[in-house]
């Protein structure tokens, strides 16, 4: 293996080494046919970096795969060198980048198989040659599995933008939360459970989509990842002056930062994101959040009154979907879509579109799927409402069951909307809906459906009312005043039906609640589901980052803030 | 106490003082002394040619700073020579009492050194901007200094080069390595500094064709190892210097000579001698 890096490219090469050094303790060195790859992973395996320098980057590149390599060590060469070098060793070679830039004319990297050393020869000015023989450890290929293309959210901006952003955060700040919505992006410092959040500095920075070269938000989400590693990435990005492409999905899923210069090199950094601890599953939170986000956006778009109902649905849908994974949603969605044509027509549907084309559709579909009885009309209920509900629901996610219920109902009322919002959800296992709840929901649903449309005008409250009224008869529903997003509680109830129904198959509501029922039953059989939801709602809402879940409006809700079933 | 000062000054100029030297910029002396400051005590030899300050460590390395008489605008020695040992750290602190003057823009302190002979203290007087400082340093019995017996006739390999390229190399030498190996040869790689540390081995080669090399006289290939920690202090002198001369003799002893230009353009020399690291052939512990 032998390659020669010309002096002009050494700066980037050296910078790459420096950023790898900041992330991990060892640099995995592997000359491949498509180029020289340098990779590292951090000690907790939560950050992975990979640099691939294409042969065009080098003055001369030979990965040693050819057999006729001077005949010697052909076996080793053929096999391909896979080794790792400690960061200390390689930094000894590239320590002073300014000196390297000024004095080094070229750098020759070769493999001395006989002595098992990786040889770095820096040919400097004035006839000086610095040769470093570094010991290495043979190892297996380090490879992270990630998919950039599958991510619904993509951002692209010059590195300088992000550099300017991170400069505003304290140097001791460990983690940062990136929140995306179709209309804005914000970065906040992540504060772990602090006894007194008011004593801690909170930093928040908002960016408009116009600042980005590419701003594609498929799923409203917020992800939390390590700032230190981001700084290392930006340190590299800044020197190259190339744009950074960020691909991510939702909390709990990795975020990928890519910097590539078409012909010469490609850098990929994968960071793990914090999974929402509120959610029962790591997937959940993200989905739920996104759902909420989705709903929120729709909400904004619509400002329709019935949002509440819809929201609840949406929320539930979201939650479910989160759990379920988007695949289910897709399935449902398809089903739903087929069933609920009208969705698009409904305002909610439109709203969805505002948010994120795909996600909205997905949600819509999901919601549709969930609701067997689609209430097309309901869709109009303001997806927004749904969103809020969803959000609230999310808060309450802890109780899947309850949420589901709520969600289910929601969907019923505004099938289109709910579906839309979440996109992924819909499927959710709304098994929750315990039987009883489901039934009541059904009833309510019907009621709601009728009223759903009327409710449009009302925020959440509308739904609430419907639900309440309807429910009161069938199941106790605690009227939740969710002016903006609070609705969820009620919605939750409403959603239950939805959830139970669609669950996976879609249309019919079945008592999905295998587990949910249990949960429900646990609380207090016969306890108004609202109560349960409420607690769920509150509990989770506190955690939910963006959603305006706290339905402080509801007196009822206030009671059980901490309860999380 | 100006009065006292004056009287002292007059007294200085009397024969009471064996040695009196004056110069306008104390930094010319303090900088050179800092280059060899790796031990607390130094032996000072005063001869008609000037001052020679010697610092030694472990009986293996010796640094000498030569400050010619021409550097001083007043240099009087009533004896053939005067030798004494003094605390180098204190001496440097006194010389830089008005600040190390890194900026260099402010007025330099002017210095007057007096020594009244065996047993008397070394008296320094510094004045800057009308402020006067009077220092009296106790002198100690001078110890025998090593004589490396390094004469030009024994020199086998000699290379004179510009210091700048070596500065980086020296600074980047692998600190995890115990020894520094110096190879000098009439054939490639001509001059090679090697370290063997935790990360692996590092070799820095200097070609004789390089424009950094001013003189290259190598007669045979020699490779010697020296303890890194003994040579580390020489990097201070290297940092100040403009040119360096590397010489080894038949025994493998190393002589590094640095040419330092001071603020006023005057030239001073600092010399390092280092004994090679011998491979223990028989473990006779």
């Amino acid at each position: 293996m032998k390659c020669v890096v010309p002096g002009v490219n050494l700066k980037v090469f050296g910078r790459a080494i420096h950023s790898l050094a900041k992330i991990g303790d060892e640099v995995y060195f592997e000359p491949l046919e498509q180029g020289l790859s340098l990779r590292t992973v951090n000690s907790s395996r939560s950050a992975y970096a990979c640099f691939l320098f294409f042969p065009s980057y080098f003055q001369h590149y030979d990965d040693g795969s050819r057999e006729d390599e001077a005949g010697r060590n052909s076996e080793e060469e053929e096999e391909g060198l896979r080794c790792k070098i400690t960061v200390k060793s390689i930094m000894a070679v590239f320590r002073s980048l300014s000196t390297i830039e000024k004095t080094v004319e070229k750098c020759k990297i070769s493999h001395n198989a006989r002595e098992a050393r990786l040889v770095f020869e820096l040919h400097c000015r004035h006839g000086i040659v610095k040769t470093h023989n570094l010991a290495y450890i043979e190892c297996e290929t380090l490879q992270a599995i990630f998919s950039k293309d599958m991510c619904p959210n993509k951002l692209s901006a010059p590195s300088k933008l992000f550099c300017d952003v991170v400069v505003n955060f304290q140097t001791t700040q460990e983690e940062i939360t990136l929140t995306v919505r179709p209309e804005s992006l914000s970065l906040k410092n992540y504060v772990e459970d602090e006894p007194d959040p008011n004593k801690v500095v909170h930093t928040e920075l908002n960016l408009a989509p116009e600042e980005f070269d590419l701003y594609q938000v498929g799923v409203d989400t917020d992800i939390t990842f390590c700032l230190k590693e981001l700084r290392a990435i930006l340190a590299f990005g800044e020197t190259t002056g190339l744009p950074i492409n960020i691909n991510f999905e939702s909390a709990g899923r990795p975020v990928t930062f890519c910097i590539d210069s078409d012909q010469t090199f490609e850098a990929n950094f994968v960071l793990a994101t914090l999974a929402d601890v509120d959610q029962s599953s790591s997937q959940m939170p993200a989905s739920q959040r996104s759902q909420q986000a989705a709903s929120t956006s729709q909400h904004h778009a619509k400002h329709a009154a019935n949002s509440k109902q819809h929201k609840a649905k949406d929320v539930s849908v979201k939650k479910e979907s989160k759990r379920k994974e988007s695949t289910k949603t897709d399935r449902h969605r398809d089903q739903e879509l087929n069933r609920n044509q009208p969705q698009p027509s409904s305002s909610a549907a439109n709203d969805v579109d505002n948010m994120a084309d795909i996600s909205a559709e997905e949600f819509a579909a999901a919601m549709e799927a969930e609701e067997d009885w689609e209430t097309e009309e309901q869709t109009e209920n303001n997806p927004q409402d749904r969103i809020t509900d969803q959000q609230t629901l999310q808060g309450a996610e802890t109780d899947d069951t309850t949420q589901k219920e709520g969600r289910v109902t929601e969907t019923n009322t505004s099938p289109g909307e709910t579906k839309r919002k979440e996109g992924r959800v819909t499927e959710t296992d709304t098994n929750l809906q315990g039987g009883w709840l489901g039934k009541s929901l059904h009833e309510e649903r019907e009621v709601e459906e009728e009223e759903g449309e009327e409710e449009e005008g009302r925020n959440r409250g509308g739904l609430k009312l419907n639900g309440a009224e309807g429910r009161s008869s069938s199941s106790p529903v605690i009227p939740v005043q969710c002016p903006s997003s609070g609705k969820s509680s009620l919605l939750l109830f409403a959603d239950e039906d939805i959830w139970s129904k669609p669950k996976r198959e879609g249309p019919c509501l079945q008592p999905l609640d295998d587990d949910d029922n249990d949960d429900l039953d646990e609380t207090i059989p016969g306890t108004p589901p609202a109560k349960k939801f409420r607690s769920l709602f509150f509990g989770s809402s506190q955690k939910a980052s963006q959603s305006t879940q706290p339905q402080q409006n509801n007196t009822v809700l206030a009671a059980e803030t901490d309860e999380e079933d | 106490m100006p009065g006292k000062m004056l009287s002292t000054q007059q007294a200085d100029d009397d024969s009471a003082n064996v040695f009196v030297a004056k110069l306008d910029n104390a930094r010319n002396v303090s900088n050179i002394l800092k280059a060899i400051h790796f031990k607390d005590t130094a032996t000072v030899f005063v001869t008609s040619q000037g001052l020679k300050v010697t610092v030694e460590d472990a009986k293996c390395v010796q640094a000498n700073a030569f400050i010619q008489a021409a550097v001083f605008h007043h240099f009087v020695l009533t004896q053939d020579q005067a030798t004494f040992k003094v605390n180098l750290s204190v001496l440097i602190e006194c010389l830089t009492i008005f600040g190390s003057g890194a900026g260099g823009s402010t007025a330099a302190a002017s210095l007057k050194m007096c020594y009244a002979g065996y047993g008397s203290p070394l008296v320094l007087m510094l004045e800057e901007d009308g402020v006067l400082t009077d220092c009296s340093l106790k002198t100690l019995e001078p110890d025998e200094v090593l004589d490396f017996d390094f004469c030009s006739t024994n020199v086998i390999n000699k290379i004179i080069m510009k210091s700048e390229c070596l500065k980086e190399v020296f600074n980047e030498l692998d600190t995890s390595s115990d020894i520094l190996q110096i190879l000098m040869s009439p054939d490639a790689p001509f001059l090679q500094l090697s370290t063997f540390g935790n990360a692996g081995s590092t070799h820095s080669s200097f070609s004789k064709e390089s424009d950094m090399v001013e003189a290259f006289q190598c007669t045979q290939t020699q490779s010697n190892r020296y303890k890194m920690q003994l040579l580390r202090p020489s990097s201070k002198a290297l940092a100040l210097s403009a040119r360096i001369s590397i010489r080894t003799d038949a025994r493998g002893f190393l002589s590094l000579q640095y040419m330092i230009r001071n603020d006023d353009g005057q030239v001073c020399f600092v010399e390092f001698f280092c004994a090679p690291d011998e491979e223990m052939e028989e473990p006779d512990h």
Side-chain angles (χ1 to χ4, degrees):
Chain A
M1 179 250 142
K2 184 173 125 161
C3 54
V4 179
V5 183
V8 292
N9 291 343
L10 261 181
K11 180 177 168 189
V12 171
F13 196 82
R15 283 265 168 221
I17 302 277
H18 275 247
S19 68
L20 288 170
K22 286 191 196 132
I23 294 174
D25 292 326
E26 285 160 338
V27 174
Y28 288 72
F29 198 90
E30 189 176 345
L32 303 164
E33 208 175 307
Q34 61 265 38
L36 178 66
S37 87
L38 302 174
R39 306 187 184 113
T40 192
V41 67
N42 72 348
S43 49
S44 53
R45 304 240 153 201
S46 62
Y48 163 87
C50 171
F51 286 88
L52 182 64
F53 295 95
F54 304 125
S56 54
Y57 188 79
F58 302 93
Q59 205 170 299
H60 169 81
Y61 181 75
D62 171 18
D63 65 329
S65 57
R66 281 173 304 170
E67 298 176 16
D68 46 6
E69 264 303 316
R72 63 182 173 106
N73 63 16
S74 52
E75 288 140 19
E76 292 140 7
E77 300 284 34
E78 284 168 30
E79 278 170 17
L81 176 66
R82 280 190 296 271
C83 62
K84 55 182 179 176
I85 313 175
T86 61
V87 149
K88 260 195 183 159
S89 318
I90 198 154
M91 283 299 279
V93 183
F94 293 97
R95 190 182 322 277
S96 167
L97 286 173
S98 52
T99 317
I100 288 176
E101 252 182 282
K102 279 185 281 184
T103 59
V104 182
E105 287 166 3
K106 68 178 182 189
C107 171
K108 191 157 90 165
I109 306 173
S110 56
H111 176 225
N112 183 343
R114 219 169 2 101
E115 289 172 26
R117 292 276 185 275
L118 207 54
V119 184
F120 288 80
E121 273 175 48
L122 298 169
H123 294 253
C124 313
R125 288 185 311 173
H126 311 301
I128 302 170
V129 177
K130 297 186 200 167
T131 309
H132 298 261
N133 300 304
L134 306 180
Y136 61 81
I137 302 172
E138 284 189 10
C139 62
E140 284 308 312
T141 306
L142 176 74
Q143 185 66 42
I145 299 166
F146 59 97
S147 168
K148 289 185 275 188
D149 305 320
M150 298 287 290
C151 295
N153 298 330
K154 292 185 205 283
L155 305 171
S156 175
S159 316
K160 182 141 192 342
L161 175 72
F162 293 105
C163 290
D164 291 344
V165 164
V166 300
V167 127
N168 293 295
F169 291 89
Q170 295 179 317
T171 43
T172 51
Q173 184 61 37
E174 292 264 347
E175 281 146 355
I176 186 176
T177 303
L178 168 76
T179 304
V180 287
R181 299 281 175 271
E183 67 279 355
S184 75
L185 178 144
S186 84
L187 286 136
K188 287 196 275 240
N189 63 332
Y190 178 77
V191 175
E192 284 186 300
D193 307 312
E194 280 287 331
D196 183 2
N198 292 333
K199 294 230 167 88
V200 178
V201 173
H202 290 263
T203 310
E204 180 170 348
L205 202 120
N206 295 310
L207 293 170
E210 292 75 41
E211 306 211 38
F212 293 85
D213 297 336
L214 167 67
Y215 191 87
Q216 178 187 318
V217 175
V219 170
D220 284 4
T221 183
D222 51 335
I223 49 171
T224 302
F225 51 88
C226 188
L227 180 60
K228 287 192 160 63
E229 275 133 21
L230 177 64
R231 286 190 210 266
I233 297 169
L234 293 176
F236 174 75
E238 201 175 9
T239 51
T240 58
L242 294 165
I244 296 186
N245 304 312
I246 309 178
N247 300 301
F248 56 102
E249 194 179 343
S250 52
R253 304 292 299 155
V255 51
T256 313
F257 296 82
C258 316
I259 299 172
D260 48 84
S261 155
D262 287 334
Q263 296 309 318
T264 49
F265 69 90
E266 184 184 280
N268 289 308
F269 302 86
V270 185
L271 300 184
T273 62
L274 205 59
D276 199 341
V277 294
D278 295 341
Q279 312 308 342
S280 48
S281 73
S282 62
Q283 295 293 331
M284 285 263 282
S287 54
Q288 293 187 348
R289 288 224 197 123
S290 44
Q291 289 177 347
Q292 294 184 346
S295 41
T296 326
S297 48
Q298 296 192 351
H299 193 57
H300 294 316
K302 281 219 139 157
H303 308 292
N306 292 343
S307 42
K308 234 207 259 188
Q309 286 184 357
H310 297 297
K311 289 198 186 146
K313 279 192 199 167
D314 293 339
V315 179
S316 53
V317 173
K318 283 189 213 171
K319 291 185 192 168
E320 295 205 351
S321 55
K322 283 190 192 166
R323 289 208 244 141
K324 295 298 177 93
E325 310 281 351
S326 38
T327 47
K328 287 198 246 181
T329 314
D330 293 340
R331 269 180 298 162
H332 289 283
R333 192 169 16 144
D334 295 336
Q335 296 169 8
E336 298 285 336
L337 281 171
N338 299 336
R339 291 184 311 153
N340 308 323
Q341 309 311 319
Q343 298 313 330
S345 51
S346 60
S347 48
N350 296 335
D351 291 345
V352 175
D353 292 336
N354 298 335
M355 289 189 18
D357 314 331
I358 300 170
S359 54
E361 290 166 9
E362 289 180 331
F363 276 117
M367 296 302 277
E368 296 178 356
E370 308 241 13
E371 326 169 337
D372 234 9
W373 57 89
E374 43 261 13
T375 38
E376 257 67 16
E377 314 106 45
Q378 313 258 331
T379 52
E380 301 192 299
N381 297 336
N382 322 329
Q384 293 151 5
D385 289 341
R386 268 193 302 193
I387 296 172
T388 32
D389 291 331
Q390 288 177 344
Q391 291 172 348
T392 45
L393 283 175
Q394 294 206 331
E397 292 227 293
T398 43
D399 279 305
D400 293 340
T401 52
T402 41
Q403 294 172 346
K404 288 197 186 154
E405 296 182 341
R407 285 188 288 213
V408 174
T409 41
E410 286 295 330
T411 29
N412 294 335
T413 49
S414 50
E417 294 181 353
T418 44
K419 296 202 183 118
R420 276 190 289 223
K421 305 249 173 97
E422 305 316 341
R424 7 160 163 221
V425 178
T426 56
E427 306 317 353
T428 56
D429 315 283
T430 38
N431 298 310
L432 325 164
Q433 319 320 347
W436 65 273
L437 207 51
K439 288 181 204 153
S440 55
L441 288 172
H442 265 282
E443 293 169 345
E444 296 169 40
R445 235 185 342 174
E446 289 157 6
V447 174
E448 287 171 358
E449 290 182 11
E450 298 161 6
E451 304 179 8
E453 307 177 39
E454 300 164 10
E455 307 214 349
E456 277 194 50
R458 301 179 261 185
N459 293 331
R460 296 225 181 251
L463 179 59
K464 210 169 32 169
L465 294 177
N466 293 338
E469 293 168 47
R471 296 206 184 89
S472 48
S473 53
S474 51
S475 61
V477 169
I478 296 176
V480 178
Q481 288 295 343
C482 324
S484 49
S485 50
K487 324 181 193 198
S488 41
S489 56
L490 274 188
L491 297 176
L492 287 173
F493 297 111
D495 288 348
E496 289 177 30
D497 277 340
I498 301 177
W499 286 119
S500 49
K501 238 186 8 169
K503 241 325 202 341
R504 302 222 183 153
E505 292 68 21
C508 51
L509 271 184
Q510 303 126 15
L512 305 167
D513 47 280
D514 299 333
D515 0 332
D516 300 336
N517 284 336
D518 295 340
D519 295 350
L520 290 174
D521 293 340
E522 280 165 16
T523 40
I524 295 173
T527 301
K531 198 170 179 149
K532 212 171 164 183
F533 296 128
R534 207 178 15 175
S535 53
L536 288 176
F537 178 79
F538 266 94
S540 46
S541 59
Q542 283 169 1
K543 299 198 194 140
S545 43
Q546 282 89 26
S547 53
T548 42
Q549 319 215 349
Q551 336 256 281
Q552 278 67 19
N553 336 3
N554 305 314
T555 44
V556 181
L557 292 174
E560 318 190 21
T561 346
D562 297 328
E563 206 175 327
E564 280 191 31
D565 299 19
Chain B
M1 1 168 238
K4 197 167 170 194
M5 280 299 299
L6 285 170
S7 58
T8 318
Q9 276 180 346
Q10 282 152 14
D12 291 340
D13 294 327
D14 293 345
S15 56
N17 275 316
V18 159
F19 159 61
V20 176
K22 299 182 193 174
L23 85 161
D24 289 332
N25 187 349
R27 274 199 289 272
N28 291 342
V29 171
S30 62
N31 284 347
I32 307 286
L33 294 181
K34 280 182 196 170
I36 59 164
H37 183 206
F38 56 92
K39 275 297 201 177
D40 278 339
T41 53
T43 308
V44 180
F45 298 88
V46 189
T47 63
S48 54
Q49 267 121 29
L51 288 179
K52 174 176 133 173
V53 183
T54 302
V55 178
E56 279 182 6
D57 186 15
K59 298 271 185 216
C60 289
V61 69
Q62 181 186 83
N64 298 306
F66 296 92
I67 305 168
Q68 298 160 328
V71 171
F72 302 90
H73 65 79
H74 175 97
F75 193 95
V76 170
L77 182 66
T78 55
Q79 290 171 214
D80 278 346
Q81 68 161 33
T83 308
F84 54 86
K85 195 159 85 167
V86 74
N87 188 316
L88 186 59
S89 315
V90 175
L91 175 61
I92 290 175
E93 277 187 35
C94 292
L95 290 172
T96 56
I97 204 149
F98 288 109
S100 53
S105 53
T106 55
S110 59
L111 166 73
K112 179 172 171 184
M113 290 169 80
C114 313
Y115 177 62
Y118 181 80
S120 5
L122 175 67
V123 175
L124 303 173
M125 273 170 272
L126 293 109
E127 186 263 333
E128 184 180 318
D129 279 345
V131 180
L132 226 52
T133 302
D134 202 356
C135 315
S136 174
L137 283 76
K138 284 199 178 23
T139 56
L140 308 166
E141 192 73 39
D143 289 333
E144 281 261 341
V145 293
L146 292 173
D147 177 9
F148 280 77
D149 193 22
F150 203 100
C151 55
S152 315
T153 48
N154 290 346
V155 170
I156 300 209
N157 292 326
K158 172 171 158 179
I159 299 175
I160 299 178
M161 57 196 292
K162 296 210 183 71
S163 303
E164 24 177 314
C165 51
L166 259 187
K167 284 179 199 175
E168 291 158 22
V169 171
F170 243 80
N171 289 339
E172 289 179 5
L173 282 179
D174 188 358
T175 48
S176 65
S177 168
D178 285 336
I179 57 127
L180 172 67
Q181 176 176 290
I182 298 181
L183 173 108
M184 293 165 84
S185 162
D187 316 311
F190 307 112
L191 171 65
Q192 188 177 71
L193 304 178
S194 310
T195 54
F196 305 88
N198 298 334
S201 59
T202 300
H203 309 279
S204 301
S205 318
F206 301 82
S207 160
K208 74 170 179 187
E209 321 298 330
S210 162
D211 49 352
M212 288 275 131
V213 174
E214 292 178 6
F216 192 90
Q217 294 151 28
C218 291
T219 57
Q220 66 174 248
T221 301
Q222 260 191 326
S223 171
N224 295 300
R225 297 180 157 209
Y226 306 92
K227 277 210 168 7
M228 277 282 271
Q229 96 195 60
L230 295 176
L231 284 182
R232 280 248 151 256
S234 67
S235 58
K236 273 192 226 167
L238 179 62
L240 288 172
S241 69
R243 286 153 91 198
I244 176 174
S245 144
I246 306 170
R247 301 182 300 167
T248 51
D249 71 357
R251 305 163 298 169
F253 277 67
L254 176 71
S255 151
L256 298 167
Q257 290 172 320
Y258 303 91
M259 186 189 94
I260 298 172
R261 245 177 233 291
N262 64 19
D263 297 342
D264 301 323
Q266 289 153 328
V267 170
C268 298
F269 290 94
V270 171
E271 187 176 57
F272 268 80
F273 289 112
C274 190
D277 210 39
E278 290 281 340
E279 298 268 316
M280 294 299 289
E281 275 149 18
E282 63 268 308
D284 54 12
H285 304 294

